[in-house]
């Protein structure tokens, strides 16, 4: 994983990845529930929110940290976490207004927040490794 991140330092791949992933969450959240394929294995909707928003923080943080070098690690992380949380609230609100077959769910916002918090915790715990990785380049 560290080698993969190292190979992406300074590249536009992180920007494209963050943009495409955010677009995927937006599209997935705003399409009609009738258009979502049914899986044979039951997966909790809340688990999907937890993982989706946790990964959103991870990918956006990596891009932000590499791009905005004058901003500290923790400040970058807090900005990305706040952006992700606000984005999740906006998406939930849009679900309730724009999509007829779906409705806004406060528990989804809680699951988003839990995923965001977990990603922040992991990124704080591996801070030294990421800073060391950045200093190698």
């Amino acid at each position: 994983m560290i080698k993969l991140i190292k190979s992406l330092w300074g590249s536009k791949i992180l920007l494209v990845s963050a943009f495409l992933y955010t677009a995927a969450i937006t599209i997935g959240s705003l399409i009609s529930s009738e258009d979502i394929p049914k899986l044979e294995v039951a997966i909790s909707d809340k688990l999907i929110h937890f993982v989706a928003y946790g990964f959103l923080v991870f990918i956006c943080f990596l891009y932000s940290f590499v791009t905005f070098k004058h901003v500290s690690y923790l400040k970058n992380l807090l900005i990305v976490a706040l952006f992700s949380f606000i984005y999740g609230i906006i998406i939930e609100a849009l679900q309730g207004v724009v999509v007829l077959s779906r409705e806004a769910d406060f528990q989804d916002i809680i699951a988003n927040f839990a995923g965001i918090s977990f990603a922040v915790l992991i990124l704080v715990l591996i801070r030294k490794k990421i800073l060391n990785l950045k200093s190698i380049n």
Side-chain angles (χ1 to χ4, degrees), residues 82-124:
L82 183 60
F83 159 79
S84 299
F85 184 64
I86 292 170
Y87 167 74
I89 291 171
I90 291 169
I91 291 295
E92 278 304 310
L94 287 173
Q95 274 185 346
V97 175
V98 176
V99 186
L100 296 177
S101 64
R102 299 178 98 169
E103 54 187 56
D105 184 355
F106 183 71
Q107 291 179 348
D108 287 347
I109 294 172
I110 300 296
N112 295 349
F113 180 74
I116 290 165
S117 299
F118 184 74
V120 167
L121 177 64
I122 296 299
L123 286 165
V124 166

Side-chain angles (χ1 to χ4, degrees), residues 31-37:
I31 62 173
S32 172
S33 61
E34 297 161 357
D35 295 333
I36 299 173

Side-chain angles (χ1 to χ4, degrees), residues 5-69:
I5 295 169
K6 183 178 176 185
S7 70
L8 297 176
W9 269 163
S11 76
K12 299 300 178 197
I13 292 173
L14 286 171
L15 173 61
V16 171
S17 298
F19 177 78
L20 290 176
Y21 188 74
T22 305
I25 289 176
T26 303
I27 292 167
S29 297
L30 298 180
I31 62 173
S32 172
S33 61
E34 297 161 357
D35 295 333
I36 299 173
K38 304 295 182 220
L39 299 175
E40 298 204 17
V41 177
I43 299 175
S44 167
D45 171 58
K46 305 315 175 228
L47 179 61
I48 292 170
H49 280 266
F50 180 90
V51 171
Y53 280 82
F55 189 72
L56 177 66
V57 167
F58 186 73
I59 191 78
C60 289
F61 170 74
L62 289 178
Y63 170 72
S64 175
F65 183 64
V66 168
T67 304
F68 305 108
K69 296 176 179 164

